[in-house]
Amino acid sequence: MAVDMNADTKVNMKKTVTIEPITRIEGHAKITIELDDVGQVADARFHVTEFRGFEKFCIGRSFWEMPGITARVCGICPVSHLLASSKAGDAILGVRTPEPAVTLRRLMNYAQMVQSHALSFFLLSGPDLLLGMDADPVERNMAGLIKVHPEIARSGIRLRAFGQALIRALGERSVHPSWSVPGGVRGSLKAADKEHFLAQLPEMYSTLDIALDLMKDALDRYATEVDAYGSFPSLFVGLVGSDGGLEHYDGHLRIVDSDGRIVEDNLTPDAFLGRISEAEETWSYLKFPYYTPFGPERGMYRVGPLARLNVCDFAGTPRADRELRQFRHFGGPGKTVNSSFYYHYARLVEILHSLERIEEILADEILLDHHIRSRAGVNQNVGIGVSEAPRGTLFHHYQVDDNGMLEKVNLIIATGQNNLAMNKTIKQLATRFISGTKLEEGLLNRVEHGIRVFDPCLSCSTHEAGRMPLHLQLRAVDGTLLDEIKRG
Amino acid sequence: MWLIIGYGNLLRQDDGAGYRLAQTLATHLAPRPLSRDVRILAVHQLTPELALELAAEDVARVLFIDARRGQSKLLTLSKLDPAGAKGSCGHQLAPELLLYMAQTLYHRSPQGWLLTLAAQQMDMGDMFSAKAQAATTVALSLVDKILVKATKVAAK
């Protein structure tokens, strides 16, 4: 599929390419690419065209309700909101959350990493990675993947189902569990469930072996392209443990630059948020956070799996550490891995690490301890909760009155923090792959894939029967429709 | 065995009508013998692992229940064709694709239908519009009749 841009006859006409909606991401967004007079890319933008409004919706409600409400921001990463919200609630209570509760929350968070990353790798990015960026779009989708690689699709579904079932075993349901609460959790894990999940782990590790092989094949196949997928210097931000290890639930924030230097370390959530500014643009509902001391250009930072592997000193589990060493070869000695294409690889390392942590926790006798909740009233009027969501660092910042009613709510989501980097990625891809003569479907798909590597979650969480098709229009600067292609 | 999957977001007003109907059906059927032949799931959205539920050996028929805006009739009921599966998806799937997955990945072919409930408002909120409430009431009665009839046919 191609669009002839008739460059010979319209050489003086500025053109805009619009890709809307972007498929295989959560939520609604579009990409526009501005071409200059000679058909070269002048600018490219990632527009988030929906407004969530959850923060306003929550004002005046009790902070006790927040884990249940904010978990409904999205059906894909409800656990992340549940945990960040509960941790903000912990801070408002001002009590020590019992260690068994913390362990159970960690367990659910690892299960969430497994299910969310499995969906991203196997079923959302899988069609591009396994069928090829240039494959016919009629086939390059989940149905096509199932047809051509049914065994891979089955493995991906089993891995995702494993994570979902573990979440359900803890929280009674896999989507929107309201199990974690300020001060702890509502219930523990049954002994029979422990054995059930332990028995499934060998199969899950085998699936990861297959996935890692597929990933390395894809890296060979796309070796000449990897550097176009958002490969540029930026800061990386993520939680690390007190020992500098890979961390997804607690610890402190670390900022690292592309040369692998630690810019700041041991930051509390409060201190980190004090160093972040949020720029705004009229063309997107998503803000553009940056590290204030470096300004909007140099202060651009990335969060999520790639960032977490770049900021940590080690993973802390044997299989993941082995894989992490291989992963780091792609950055060079002492440097960070800078191409956003490696988000895919990083997700797999994180699934491996999560499975190992799940195995450790399931074998830990702390799960038998019944002290899983501390009870108190409002002791602090401000609470900040942070956790690592599959897509990156997530902050819930609440201010309450003395009765616990919310006066201010600020949710800082991972996808927002990657916004500057996502925009820079699509510009890099568009510049590399699009020139003024033709719009090839495969080239446009590469631009879309530049967004998919971040696995953004725009969280509209609404749906109706039927799907919106992709509709790409080519317009002259005066708005005249020059050409268009439709998909679906 | 019938598998009924109602889906939607309860915090987006009418969007949650399918989810709510599934919950109501579960309560409505629980005391009756009929409930032994029905499995009901209320979910936020359709996700790939639901293919495993469709592929369960005892599942012969699947009824999906969703809300749809811009629908003039209170209800529509349509037979689903796995061959019509739309391949593209975000983090949620079309019901046809789940049927296709059950067929292609697990060699199971339960028959499938989609029941859509008329929706009017899908903004932030947990209240249903009068139209969605009416659709839910009528749908409850319709699904009950379908299940009773299917059970009688099976008994013969």
PDB file of all heavy atoms in Angstrom, chain A residues 271-291:
ATOM      1  N   ALA A 271      11.297  14.489  46.732  1.00  0.00           N
ATOM      2  CA  ALA A 271      12.457  15.227  46.209  1.00  0.00           C
ATOM      3  C   ALA A 271      12.502  15.134  44.689  1.00  0.00           C
ATOM      4  O   ALA A 271      12.786  16.116  43.998  1.00  0.00           O
ATOM      5  CB  ALA A 271      13.741  14.654  46.809  1.00  0.00           C
ATOM      6  N   PHE A 272      12.187  13.959  44.153  1.00  0.00           N
ATOM      7  CA  PHE A 272      12.210  13.806  42.694  1.00  0.00           C
ATOM      8  C   PHE A 272      11.173  14.719  42.045  1.00  0.00           C
ATOM      9  O   PHE A 272      11.472  15.425  41.084  1.00  0.00           O
ATOM     10  CB  PHE A 272      11.941  12.347  42.310  1.00  0.00           C
ATOM     11  CG  PHE A 272      11.819  12.145  40.825  1.00  0.00           C
ATOM     12  CD1 PHE A 272      12.932  12.179  40.017  1.00  0.00           C
ATOM     13  CD2 PHE A 272      10.577  11.959  40.231  1.00  0.00           C
ATOM     14  CE1 PHE A 272      12.830  12.025  38.635  1.00  0.00           C
ATOM     15  CE2 PHE A 272      10.457  11.791  38.848  1.00  0.00           C
ATOM     16  CZ  PHE A 272      11.590  11.832  38.055  1.00  0.00           C
ATOM     17  N   LEU A 273       9.948  14.690  42.574  1.00  0.00           N
ATOM     18  CA  LEU A 273       8.892  15.507  41.964  1.00  0.00           C
ATOM     19  C   LEU A 273       9.238  16.994  42.037  1.00  0.00           C
ATOM     20  O   LEU A 273       8.841  17.776  41.173  1.00  0.00           O
ATOM     21  CB  LEU A 273       7.547  15.224  42.634  1.00  0.00           C
ATOM     22  CG  LEU A 273       7.002  13.807  42.396  1.00  0.00           C
ATOM     23  CD1 LEU A 273       5.679  13.596  43.131  1.00  0.00           C
ATOM     24  CD2 LEU A 273       6.815  13.528  40.903  1.00  0.00           C
ATOM     25  N   GLY A 274      10.012  17.380  43.053  1.00  0.00           N
ATOM     26  CA  GLY A 274      10.453  18.767  43.164  1.00  0.00           C
ATOM     27  C   GLY A 274      11.440  19.157  42.078  1.00  0.00           C
ATOM     28  O   GLY A 274      11.690  20.342  41.852  1.00  0.00           O
ATOM     29  N   ARG A 275      12.000  18.179  41.400  1.00  0.00           N
ATOM     30  CA  ARG A 275      12.994  18.469  40.356  1.00  0.00           C
ATOM     31  C   ARG A 275      12.408  18.345  38.948  1.00  0.00           C
ATOM     32  O   ARG A 275      13.131  18.401  37.970  1.00  0.00           O
ATOM     33  CB  ARG A 275      14.186  17.512  40.486  1.00  0.00           C
ATOM     34  CG  ARG A 275      15.087  17.819  41.660  1.00  0.00           C
ATOM     35  CD  ARG A 275      15.924  16.614  42.008  1.00  0.00           C
ATOM     36  NE  ARG A 275      16.976  16.883  42.976  1.00  0.00           N
ATOM     37  CZ  ARG A 275      16.755  17.020  44.280  1.00  0.00           C
ATOM     38  NH1 ARG A 275      15.536  16.965  44.774  1.00  0.00           N
ATOM     39  NH2 ARG A 275      17.773  17.244  45.106  1.00  0.00           N
ATOM     40  N   ILE A 276      11.126  18.080  38.872  1.00  0.00           N
ATOM     41  CA  ILE A 276      10.483  17.868  37.571  1.00  0.00           C
ATOM     42  C   ILE A 276       9.564  19.047  37.230  1.00  0.00           C
ATOM     43  O   ILE A 276       8.810  19.522  38.071  1.00  0.00           O
ATOM     44  CB  ILE A 276       9.646  16.562  37.600  1.00  0.00           C
ATOM     45  CG1 ILE A 276      10.554  15.361  37.847  1.00  0.00           C
ATOM     46  CG2 ILE A 276       8.855  16.365  36.311  1.00  0.00           C
ATOM     47  CD1 ILE A 276      11.686  15.188  36.854  1.00  0.00           C
ATOM     48  N   SER A 277       9.661  19.527  36.001  1.00  0.00           N
ATOM     49  CA  SER A 277       8.708  20.524  35.488  1.00  0.00           C
ATOM     50  C   SER A 277       7.889  19.866  34.397  1.00  0.00           C
ATOM     51  O   SER A 277       8.340  18.916  33.751  1.00  0.00           O
ATOM     52  CB  SER A 277       9.447  21.724  34.893  1.00  0.00           C
ATOM     53  OG  SER A 277      10.233  22.343  35.875  1.00  0.00           O
ATOM     54  N   GLU A 278       6.701  20.393  34.176  1.00  0.00           N
ATOM     55  CA  GLU A 278       5.827  19.825  33.145  1.00  0.00           C
ATOM     56  C   GLU A 278       5.500  20.897  32.107  1.00  0.00           C
ATOM     57  O   GLU A 278       4.768  21.844  32.397  1.00  0.00           O
ATOM     58  CB  GLU A 278       4.537  19.294  33.766  1.00  0.00           C
ATOM     59  CG  GLU A 278       4.753  18.077  34.646  1.00  0.00           C
ATOM     60  CD  GLU A 278       3.440  17.474  35.126  1.00  0.00           C
ATOM     61  OE1 GLU A 278       2.654  18.211  35.741  1.00  0.00           O
ATOM     62  OE2 GLU A 278       3.208  16.286  34.879  1.00  0.00           O
ATOM     63  N   ALA A 279       6.066  20.748  30.910  1.00  0.00           N
ATOM     64  CA  ALA A 279       5.722  21.657  29.818  1.00  0.00           C
ATOM     65  C   ALA A 279       4.387  21.225  29.215  1.00  0.00           C
ATOM     66  O   ALA A 279       3.984  20.068  29.356  1.00  0.00           O
ATOM     67  CB  ALA A 279       6.812  21.619  28.759  1.00  0.00           C
ATOM     68  N   GLU A 280       3.716  22.164  28.570  1.00  0.00           N
ATOM     69  CA  GLU A 280       2.432  21.839  27.924  1.00  0.00           C
ATOM     70  C   GLU A 280       2.460  22.314  26.483  1.00  0.00           C
ATOM     71  O   GLU A 280       3.143  23.276  26.145  1.00  0.00           O
ATOM     72  CB  GLU A 280       1.283  22.521  28.663  1.00  0.00           C
ATOM     73  CG  GLU A 280       1.079  21.988  30.072  1.00  0.00           C
ATOM     74  CD  GLU A 280      -0.100  22.631  30.775  1.00  0.00           C
ATOM     75  OE1 GLU A 280      -1.078  22.962  30.093  1.00  0.00           O
ATOM     76  OE2 GLU A 280      -0.010  22.813  32.002  1.00  0.00           O
ATOM     77  N   GLU A 281       1.710  21.615  25.638  1.00  0.00           N
ATOM     78  CA  GLU A 281       1.553  22.019  24.244  1.00  0.00           C
ATOM     79  C   GLU A 281       0.062  22.015  23.936  1.00  0.00           C
ATOM     80  O   GLU A 281      -0.694  21.229  24.513  1.00  0.00           O
ATOM     81  CB  GLU A 281       2.264  21.041  23.291  1.00  0.00           C
ATOM     82  CG  GLU A 281       3.773  20.982  23.458  1.00  0.00           C
ATOM     83  CD  GLU A 281       4.484  22.214  22.913  1.00  0.00           C
ATOM     84  OE1 GLU A 281       3.815  23.059  22.273  1.00  0.00           O
ATOM     85  OE2 GLU A 281       5.704  22.328  23.125  1.00  0.00           O
ATOM     86  N   THR A 282      -0.343  22.869  23.026  1.00  0.00           N
ATOM     87  CA  THR A 282      -1.770  22.974  22.711  1.00  0.00           C
ATOM     88  C   THR A 282      -2.289  21.750  21.951  1.00  0.00           C
ATOM     89  O   THR A 282      -3.481  21.510  21.913  1.00  0.00           O
ATOM     90  CB  THR A 282      -2.047  24.218  21.844  1.00  0.00           C
ATOM     91  OG1 THR A 282      -1.176  24.147  20.711  1.00  0.00           O
ATOM     92  CG2 THR A 282      -1.790  25.499  22.621  1.00  0.00           C
ATOM     93  N   TRP A 283      -1.391  20.980  21.344  1.00  0.00           N
ATOM     94  CA  TRP A 283      -1.825  19.902  20.459  1.00  0.00           C
ATOM     95  C   TRP A 283      -1.893  18.549  21.134  1.00  0.00           C
ATOM     96  O   TRP A 283      -2.119  17.529  20.484  1.00  0.00           O
ATOM     97  CB  TRP A 283      -0.940  19.844  19.216  1.00  0.00           C
ATOM     98  CG  TRP A 283       0.536  19.979  19.472  1.00  0.00           C
ATOM     99  CD1 TRP A 283       1.264  21.141  19.434  1.00  0.00           C
ATOM    100  CD2 TRP A 283       1.458  18.944  19.813  1.00  0.00           C
ATOM    101  NE1 TRP A 283       2.589  20.875  19.726  1.00  0.00           N
ATOM    102  CE2 TRP A 283       2.741  19.545  19.954  1.00  0.00           C
ATOM    103  CE3 TRP A 283       1.352  17.569  19.999  1.00  0.00           C
ATOM    104  CZ2 TRP A 283       3.881  18.825  20.285  1.00  0.00           C
ATOM    105  CZ3 TRP A 283       2.497  16.842  20.333  1.00  0.00           C
ATOM    106  CH2 TRP A 283       3.730  17.471  20.474  1.00  0.00           C
ATOM    107  N   SER A 284      -1.683  18.478  22.464  1.00  0.00           N
ATOM    108  CA  SER A 284      -1.766  17.181  23.139  1.00  0.00           C
ATOM    109  C   SER A 284      -2.267  17.370  24.564  1.00  0.00           C
ATOM    110  O   SER A 284      -1.931  18.360  25.228  1.00  0.00           O
ATOM    111  CB  SER A 284      -0.388  16.511  23.162  1.00  0.00           C
ATOM    112  OG  SER A 284      -0.476  15.253  23.807  1.00  0.00           O
ATOM    113  N   TYR A 285      -3.077  16.425  25.025  1.00  0.00           N
ATOM    114  CA  TYR A 285      -3.504  16.461  26.422  1.00  0.00           C
ATOM    115  C   TYR A 285      -2.408  15.961  27.357  1.00  0.00           C
ATOM    116  O   TYR A 285      -2.484  16.150  28.558  1.00  0.00           O
ATOM    117  CB  TYR A 285      -4.750  15.579  26.610  1.00  0.00           C
ATOM    118  CG  TYR A 285      -6.035  16.234  26.203  1.00  0.00           C
ATOM    119  CD1 TYR A 285      -6.853  15.669  25.235  1.00  0.00           C
ATOM    120  CD2 TYR A 285      -6.458  17.416  26.790  1.00  0.00           C
ATOM    121  CE1 TYR A 285      -8.038  16.257  24.856  1.00  0.00           C
ATOM    122  CE2 TYR A 285      -7.638  18.018  26.422  1.00  0.00           C
ATOM    123  CZ  TYR A 285      -8.433  17.429  25.454  1.00  0.00           C
ATOM    124  OH  TYR A 285      -9.604  18.021  25.087  1.00  0.00           O
ATOM    125  N   LEU A 286      -1.436  15.260  26.778  1.00  0.00           N
ATOM    126  CA  LEU A 286      -0.367  14.707  27.605  1.00  0.00           C
ATOM    127  C   LEU A 286       0.694  15.791  27.832  1.00  0.00           C
ATOM    128  O   LEU A 286       1.128  16.438  26.886  1.00  0.00           O
ATOM    129  CB  LEU A 286       0.242  13.506  26.869  1.00  0.00           C
ATOM    130  CG  LEU A 286       0.935  12.425  27.684  1.00  0.00           C
ATOM    131  CD1 LEU A 286       0.003  11.841  28.733  1.00  0.00           C
ATOM    132  CD2 LEU A 286       1.404  11.303  26.759  1.00  0.00           C
ATOM    133  N   LYS A 287       1.089  15.963  29.099  1.00  0.00           N
ATOM    134  CA  LYS A 287       2.115  16.960  29.389  1.00  0.00           C
ATOM    135  C   LYS A 287       3.500  16.405  29.030  1.00  0.00           C
ATOM    136  O   LYS A 287       3.650  15.239  28.707  1.00  0.00           O
ATOM    137  CB  LYS A 287       2.048  17.339  30.858  1.00  0.00           C
ATOM    138  CG  LYS A 287       0.778  18.115  31.201  1.00  0.00           C
ATOM    139  CD  LYS A 287       0.707  18.436  32.677  1.00  0.00           C
ATOM    140  CE  LYS A 287      -0.574  19.190  32.981  1.00  0.00           C
ATOM    141  NZ  LYS A 287      -0.772  19.374  34.427  1.00  0.00           N
ATOM    142  N   PHE A 288       4.508  17.296  29.144  1.00  0.00           N
ATOM    143  CA  PHE A 288       5.876  16.942  28.737  1.00  0.00           C
ATOM    144  C   PHE A 288       6.826  17.165  29.915  1.00  0.00           C
ATOM    145  O   PHE A 288       7.494  18.191  30.003  1.00  0.00           O
ATOM    146  CB  PHE A 288       6.308  17.802  27.542  1.00  0.00           C
ATOM    147  CG  PHE A 288       5.488  17.569  26.306  1.00  0.00           C
ATOM    148  CD1 PHE A 288       4.243  18.169  26.152  1.00  0.00           C
ATOM    149  CD2 PHE A 288       5.951  16.741  25.297  1.00  0.00           C
ATOM    150  CE1 PHE A 288       3.482  17.940  25.017  1.00  0.00           C
ATOM    151  CE2 PHE A 288       5.195  16.514  24.158  1.00  0.00           C
ATOM    152  CZ  PHE A 288       3.961  17.113  24.025  1.00  0.00           C
ATOM    153  N   PRO A 289       6.892  16.212  30.831  1.00  0.00           N
ATOM    154  CA  PRO A 289       7.761  16.406  31.995  1.00  0.00           C
ATOM    155  C   PRO A 289       9.249  16.349  31.621  1.00  0.00           C
ATOM    156  O   PRO A 289       9.630  15.635  30.694  1.00  0.00           O
ATOM    157  CB  PRO A 289       7.408  15.215  32.912  1.00  0.00           C
ATOM    158  CG  PRO A 289       6.191  14.601  32.343  1.00  0.00           C
ATOM    159  CD  PRO A 289       6.174  14.933  30.885  1.00  0.00           C
ATOM    160  N   TYR A 290      10.054  17.127  32.341  1.00  0.00           N
ATOM    161  CA  TYR A 290      11.508  17.079  32.147  1.00  0.00           C
ATOM    162  C   TYR A 290      12.195  17.402  33.468  1.00  0.00           C
ATOM    163  O   TYR A 290      11.592  17.950  34.391  1.00  0.00           O
ATOM    164  CB  TYR A 290      11.953  18.048  31.037  1.00  0.00           C
ATOM    165  CG  TYR A 290      11.638  19.504  31.297  1.00  0.00           C
ATOM    166  CD1 TYR A 290      12.537  20.345  31.953  1.00  0.00           C
ATOM    167  CD2 TYR A 290      10.411  20.033  30.903  1.00  0.00           C
ATOM    168  CE1 TYR A 290      12.234  21.672  32.209  1.00  0.00           C
ATOM    169  CE2 TYR A 290      10.088  21.360  31.156  1.00  0.00           C
ATOM    170  CZ  TYR A 290      11.011  22.183  31.803  1.00  0.00           C
ATOM    171  OH  TYR A 290      10.692  23.494  32.064  1.00  0.00           O
ATOM    172  N   TYR A 291      13.453  17.034  33.524  1.00  0.00           N
ATOM    173  CA  TYR A 291      14.266  17.258  34.720  1.00  0.00           C
ATOM    174  C   TYR A 291      14.686  18.730  34.734  1.00  0.00           C
ATOM    175  O   TYR A 291      15.485  19.167  33.896  1.00  0.00           O
ATOM    176  CB  TYR A 291      15.473  16.316  34.658  1.00  0.00           C
ATOM    177  CG  TYR A 291      16.465  16.441  35.765  1.00  0.00           C
ATOM    178  CD1 TYR A 291      16.101  16.219  37.098  1.00  0.00           C
ATOM    179  CD2 TYR A 291      17.799  16.753  35.490  1.00  0.00           C
ATOM    180  CE1 TYR A 291      17.039  16.309  38.112  1.00  0.00           C
ATOM    181  CE2 TYR A 291      18.741  16.831  36.498  1.00  0.00           C
ATOM    182  CZ  TYR A 291      18.355  16.619  37.809  1.00  0.00           C
ATOM    183  OH  TYR A 291      19.284  16.708  38.814  1.00  0.00           O
TER     184      TYR A 291
END
